[in-house]
Amino acid sequence: MRVRIGAQFVALACAWGSSFLFIKVALDGLTPAQVVWGRLVLGALALCAVMAVTRSRIPRDPGLWLRLSVVSVLLCVVPFLLFSWAEQHLDSGMASILNATTPLLTLAVSTAALADERLDRRRAAGLLTGFAGVLVLIGPAGLAAGGGHLLAEFACLGATACYGVAFVYLRRFIAPRGLPAVSVAFVQVTIGAVIMLAATPWLAEPTPRIDAPIALGMLALGALSTGLAYLWNNNIVQAWGAVNASAVTYLTPVVGVTAGVILLGERPTWNQPLGAVLVIAGIMAAHGAPRPASRPVVVPDEAVDVEAEERVVR
């Protein structure tokens, strides 16, 4: 069991960390909206196969589907579009680092929206440290460049803000129902896929160009980073506990930057590793460093605990 969960932890970090590489590769022949179309459709198909194999039930409550539609827009459609558009102007490594601000923005939203989430000194220090890291990531060069580069960085932050709102919404309205994670993930991703399928007539132009690298990148982005990653995440939370599982947040930017450097020849600037260190330090200060769990914690959905919510990658 320990080896299997450890392997899923590594696979999850690789899947979410490399998703920005897959987006960058796909953008060689697809528009940002076409990338999101393929990502959600392939992710829905992968989760549909998992639902069939595990014989999981699809929720039938119309009210639940309505609430999950809100989650799908905030957790899938809008942030996926923002990240895909942003990577036209940013390196994949930079996008992966900015994505690591998700737990900080989740904490900020939960503090404002949830009565039981109070901003104590430790969390306040973590937020300030993390946001200082964001300023370092943008850096003087980013401010001087302005235009599409700076707007793309803010688009990534807008995407992580959507994640933060979605996670708090999930915790407040979806998690108390105790639904299986695979069913919730299937509905979320499928609703997003239906939205993109409905927009197909407006996404057909320009004509997509698909070669082998783009096809493989989209398959990995959809089936792995958008589909199976949900299941791996839930298994890790159940076996190790929410806090230990949240350590994947510390690894995804490392995977994203390393993949960009090795496979795309990207060159990180001096401020990127420094900003990433400050962001991760802020996360650890605000949420606490991973600690051993006394027993497995069964969590029906990956967004039940705000300390576990930051791991969706997106």
Side-chain angles (χ1 to χ4, degrees), residues 201-220:
W202 294 274
L203 306 180
E205 297 294 336
T207 303
R209 180 185 63 82
I210 301 177
D211 55 18
I214 293 174
L216 291 175
M218 285 303 306
L219 183 61

PDB file of all heavy atoms in Angstrom, residues 201-220:
ATOM      1  N   PRO A 201     -18.775  25.431 -32.721  1.00  0.00           N
ATOM      2  CA  PRO A 201     -18.853  26.226 -33.967  1.00  0.00           C
ATOM      3  C   PRO A 201     -18.008  27.494 -33.941  1.00  0.00           C
ATOM      4  O   PRO A 201     -17.561  27.953 -34.999  1.00  0.00           O
ATOM      5  CB  PRO A 201     -20.350  26.564 -34.058  1.00  0.00           C
ATOM      6  CG  PRO A 201     -21.038  25.472 -33.308  1.00  0.00           C
ATOM      7  CD  PRO A 201     -20.118  25.148 -32.178  1.00  0.00           C
ATOM      8  N   TRP A 202     -17.781  28.041 -32.757  1.00  0.00           N
ATOM      9  CA  TRP A 202     -16.994  29.277 -32.652  1.00  0.00           C
ATOM     10  C   TRP A 202     -15.507  28.998 -32.445  1.00  0.00           C
ATOM     11  O   TRP A 202     -14.694  29.921 -32.459  1.00  0.00           O
ATOM     12  CB  TRP A 202     -17.514  30.133 -31.488  1.00  0.00           C
ATOM     13  CG  TRP A 202     -18.894  30.640 -31.731  1.00  0.00           C
ATOM     14  CD1 TRP A 202     -19.257  31.780 -32.404  1.00  0.00           C
ATOM     15  CD2 TRP A 202     -20.123  30.012 -31.341  1.00  0.00           C
ATOM     16  NE1 TRP A 202     -20.623  31.892 -32.448  1.00  0.00           N
ATOM     17  CE2 TRP A 202     -21.184  30.830 -31.797  1.00  0.00           C
ATOM     18  CE3 TRP A 202     -20.433  28.843 -30.637  1.00  0.00           C
ATOM     19  CZ2 TRP A 202     -22.525  30.504 -31.566  1.00  0.00           C
ATOM     20  CZ3 TRP A 202     -21.755  28.524 -30.413  1.00  0.00           C
ATOM     21  CH2 TRP A 202     -22.786  29.348 -30.873  1.00  0.00           C
ATOM     22  N   LEU A 203     -15.164  27.719 -32.263  1.00  0.00           N
ATOM     23  CA  LEU A 203     -13.770  27.360 -31.993  1.00  0.00           C
ATOM     24  C   LEU A 203     -13.103  26.672 -33.179  1.00  0.00           C
ATOM     25  O   LEU A 203     -11.920  26.343 -33.117  1.00  0.00           O
ATOM     26  CB  LEU A 203     -13.690  26.438 -30.769  1.00  0.00           C
ATOM     27  CG  LEU A 203     -14.347  26.939 -29.476  1.00  0.00           C
ATOM     28  CD1 LEU A 203     -14.173  25.912 -28.367  1.00  0.00           C
ATOM     29  CD2 LEU A 203     -13.780  28.280 -29.056  1.00  0.00           C
ATOM     30  N   ALA A 204     -13.861  26.430 -34.233  1.00  0.00           N
ATOM     31  CA  ALA A 204     -13.332  25.653 -35.360  1.00  0.00           C
ATOM     32  C   ALA A 204     -12.271  26.398 -36.150  1.00  0.00           C
ATOM     33  O   ALA A 204     -11.443  25.779 -36.828  1.00  0.00           O
ATOM     34  CB  ALA A 204     -14.475  25.246 -36.291  1.00  0.00           C
ATOM     35  N   GLU A 205     -12.280  27.708 -36.091  1.00  0.00           N
ATOM     36  CA  GLU A 205     -11.300  28.505 -36.825  1.00  0.00           C
ATOM     37  C   GLU A 205     -10.335  29.177 -35.855  1.00  0.00           C
ATOM     38  O   GLU A 205     -10.763  29.660 -34.801  1.00  0.00           O
ATOM     39  CB  GLU A 205     -12.015  29.573 -37.674  1.00  0.00           C
ATOM     40  CG  GLU A 205     -12.915  28.992 -38.755  1.00  0.00           C
ATOM     41  CD  GLU A 205     -12.128  28.246 -39.817  1.00  0.00           C
ATOM     42  OE1 GLU A 205     -10.917  28.542 -39.986  1.00  0.00           O
ATOM     43  OE2 GLU A 205     -12.708  27.380 -40.475  1.00  0.00           O
ATOM     44  N   PRO A 206      -9.059  29.218 -36.234  1.00  0.00           N
ATOM     45  CA  PRO A 206      -8.446  28.607 -37.403  1.00  0.00           C
ATOM     46  C   PRO A 206      -8.402  27.082 -37.291  1.00  0.00           C
ATOM     47  O   PRO A 206      -8.512  26.540 -36.196  1.00  0.00           O
ATOM     48  CB  PRO A 206      -7.040  29.200 -37.404  1.00  0.00           C
ATOM     49  CG  PRO A 206      -6.763  29.492 -35.974  1.00  0.00           C
ATOM     50  CD  PRO A 206      -8.071  29.920 -35.386  1.00  0.00           C
ATOM     51  N   THR A 207      -8.247  26.421 -38.408  1.00  0.00           N
ATOM     52  CA  THR A 207      -8.241  24.962 -38.441  1.00  0.00           C
ATOM     53  C   THR A 207      -7.091  24.418 -37.596  1.00  0.00           C
ATOM     54  O   THR A 207      -5.944  24.835 -37.769  1.00  0.00           O
ATOM     55  CB  THR A 207      -8.097  24.459 -39.887  1.00  0.00           C
ATOM     56  OG1 THR A 207      -9.155  24.998 -40.676  1.00  0.00           O
ATOM     57  CG2 THR A 207      -8.140  22.946 -39.922  1.00  0.00           C
ATOM     58  N   PRO A 208      -7.372  23.522 -36.674  1.00  0.00           N
ATOM     59  CA  PRO A 208      -6.303  22.969 -35.822  1.00  0.00           C
ATOM     60  C   PRO A 208      -5.265  22.212 -36.644  1.00  0.00           C
ATOM     61  O   PRO A 208      -5.597  21.568 -37.640  1.00  0.00           O
ATOM     62  CB  PRO A 208      -7.047  22.020 -34.878  1.00  0.00           C
ATOM     63  CG  PRO A 208      -8.480  22.452 -34.934  1.00  0.00           C
ATOM     64  CD  PRO A 208      -8.696  22.993 -36.317  1.00  0.00           C
ATOM     65  N   ARG A 209      -4.021  22.318 -36.228  1.00  0.00           N
ATOM     66  CA  ARG A 209      -2.950  21.529 -36.822  1.00  0.00           C
ATOM     67  C   ARG A 209      -2.457  20.558 -35.760  1.00  0.00           C
ATOM     68  O   ARG A 209      -1.977  20.960 -34.706  1.00  0.00           O
ATOM     69  CB  ARG A 209      -1.796  22.421 -37.273  1.00  0.00           C
ATOM     70  CG  ARG A 209      -0.631  21.646 -37.910  1.00  0.00           C
ATOM     71  CD  ARG A 209       0.535  22.553 -38.230  1.00  0.00           C
ATOM     72  NE  ARG A 209       1.109  23.152 -37.037  1.00  0.00           N
ATOM     73  CZ  ARG A 209       1.992  22.540 -36.238  1.00  0.00           C
ATOM     74  NH1 ARG A 209       2.358  21.284 -36.501  1.00  0.00           N
ATOM     75  NH2 ARG A 209       2.479  23.158 -35.184  1.00  0.00           N
ATOM     76  N   ILE A 210      -2.611  19.271 -36.019  1.00  0.00           N
ATOM     77  CA  ILE A 210      -2.273  18.260 -35.017  1.00  0.00           C
ATOM     78  C   ILE A 210      -1.214  17.325 -35.582  1.00  0.00           C
ATOM     79  O   ILE A 210      -1.431  16.649 -36.587  1.00  0.00           O
ATOM     80  CB  ILE A 210      -3.522  17.451 -34.611  1.00  0.00           C
ATOM     81  CG1 ILE A 210      -4.588  18.391 -34.036  1.00  0.00           C
ATOM     82  CG2 ILE A 210      -3.159  16.382 -33.585  1.00  0.00           C
ATOM     83  CD1 ILE A 210      -5.880  17.702 -33.666  1.00  0.00           C
ATOM     84  N   ASP A 211      -0.050  17.308 -34.931  1.00  0.00           N
ATOM     85  CA  ASP A 211       0.986  16.345 -35.268  1.00  0.00           C
ATOM     86  C   ASP A 211       1.176  15.410 -34.080  1.00  0.00           C
ATOM     87  O   ASP A 211       0.433  15.475 -33.093  1.00  0.00           O
ATOM     88  CB  ASP A 211       2.286  17.050 -35.657  1.00  0.00           C
ATOM     89  CG  ASP A 211       2.761  18.026 -34.578  1.00  0.00           C
ATOM     90  OD1 ASP A 211       2.304  17.907 -33.415  1.00  0.00           O
ATOM     91  OD2 ASP A 211       3.577  18.918 -34.887  1.00  0.00           O
ATOM     92  N   ALA A 212       2.158  14.548 -34.145  1.00  0.00           N
ATOM     93  CA  ALA A 212       2.346  13.547 -33.090  1.00  0.00           C
ATOM     94  C   ALA A 212       2.621  14.174 -31.720  1.00  0.00           C
ATOM     95  O   ALA A 212       1.988  13.791 -30.725  1.00  0.00           O
ATOM     96  CB  ALA A 212       3.464  12.582 -33.478  1.00  0.00           C
ATOM     97  N   PRO A 213       3.549  15.154 -31.602  1.00  0.00           N
ATOM     98  CA  PRO A 213       3.779  15.749 -30.278  1.00  0.00           C
ATOM     99  C   PRO A 213       2.537  16.426 -29.709  1.00  0.00           C
ATOM    100  O   PRO A 213       2.258  16.313 -28.509  1.00  0.00           O
ATOM    101  CB  PRO A 213       4.898  16.772 -30.547  1.00  0.00           C
ATOM    102  CG  PRO A 213       5.603  16.255 -31.751  1.00  0.00           C
ATOM    103  CD  PRO A 213       4.530  15.647 -32.596  1.00  0.00           C
ATOM    104  N   ILE A 214       1.776  17.129 -30.552  1.00  0.00           N
ATOM    105  CA  ILE A 214       0.571  17.805 -30.078  1.00  0.00           C
ATOM    106  C   ILE A 214      -0.467  16.782 -29.627  1.00  0.00           C
ATOM    107  O   ILE A 214      -1.100  16.937 -28.578  1.00  0.00           O
ATOM    108  CB  ILE A 214      -0.001  18.724 -31.170  1.00  0.00           C
ATOM    109  CG1 ILE A 214       0.951  19.892 -31.435  1.00  0.00           C
ATOM    110  CG2 ILE A 214      -1.382  19.245 -30.782  1.00  0.00           C
ATOM    111  CD1 ILE A 214       0.544  20.784 -32.587  1.00  0.00           C
ATOM    112  N   ALA A 215      -0.633  15.711 -30.419  1.00  0.00           N
ATOM    113  CA  ALA A 215      -1.608  14.684 -30.063  1.00  0.00           C
ATOM    114  C   ALA A 215      -1.240  14.012 -28.739  1.00  0.00           C
ATOM    115  O   ALA A 215      -2.101  13.812 -27.867  1.00  0.00           O
ATOM    116  CB  ALA A 215      -1.705  13.644 -31.178  1.00  0.00           C
ATOM    117  N   LEU A 216       0.037  13.670 -28.568  1.00  0.00           N
ATOM    118  CA  LEU A 216       0.473  13.036 -27.325  1.00  0.00           C
ATOM    119  C   LEU A 216       0.340  14.002 -26.147  1.00  0.00           C
ATOM    120  O   LEU A 216      -0.068  13.602 -25.043  1.00  0.00           O
ATOM    121  CB  LEU A 216       1.921  12.569 -27.459  1.00  0.00           C
ATOM    122  CG  LEU A 216       2.161  11.392 -28.412  1.00  0.00           C
ATOM    123  CD1 LEU A 216       3.649  11.104 -28.557  1.00  0.00           C
ATOM    124  CD2 LEU A 216       1.423  10.142 -27.916  1.00  0.00           C
ATOM    125  N   GLY A 217       0.689  15.275 -26.380  1.00  0.00           N
ATOM    126  CA  GLY A 217       0.556  16.268 -25.319  1.00  0.00           C
ATOM    127  C   GLY A 217      -0.881  16.448 -24.882  1.00  0.00           C
ATOM    128  O   GLY A 217      -1.175  16.534 -23.684  1.00  0.00           O
ATOM    129  N   MET A 218      -1.809  16.497 -25.835  1.00  0.00           N
ATOM    130  CA  MET A 218      -3.221  16.657 -25.495  1.00  0.00           C
ATOM    131  C   MET A 218      -3.766  15.421 -24.792  1.00  0.00           C
ATOM    132  O   MET A 218      -4.571  15.530 -23.857  1.00  0.00           O
ATOM    133  CB  MET A 218      -4.036  16.936 -26.755  1.00  0.00           C
ATOM    134  CG  MET A 218      -3.885  18.352 -27.310  1.00  0.00           C
ATOM    135  SD  MET A 218      -4.315  19.628 -26.095  1.00  0.00           S
ATOM    136  CE  MET A 218      -5.952  19.114 -25.595  1.00  0.00           C
ATOM    137  N   LEU A 219      -3.329  14.248 -25.226  1.00  0.00           N
ATOM    138  CA  LEU A 219      -3.777  13.019 -24.574  1.00  0.00           C
ATOM    139  C   LEU A 219      -3.328  12.996 -23.110  1.00  0.00           C
ATOM    140  O   LEU A 219      -4.110  12.659 -22.208  1.00  0.00           O
ATOM    141  CB  LEU A 219      -3.226  11.801 -25.312  1.00  0.00           C
ATOM    142  CG  LEU A 219      -3.668  10.427 -24.786  1.00  0.00           C
ATOM    143  CD1 LEU A 219      -5.177  10.275 -24.876  1.00  0.00           C
ATOM    144  CD2 LEU A 219      -2.965   9.310 -25.561  1.00  0.00           C
ATOM    145  N   ALA A 220      -2.066  13.370 -22.871  1.00  0.00           N
ATOM    146  CA  ALA A 220      -1.564  13.413 -21.501  1.00  0.00           C
ATOM    147  C   ALA A 220      -2.264  14.496 -20.694  1.00  0.00           C
ATOM    148  O   ALA A 220      -2.615  14.293 -19.526  1.00  0.00           O
ATOM    149  CB  ALA A 220      -0.049  13.649 -21.513  1.00  0.00           C
TER     150      ALA A 220
END
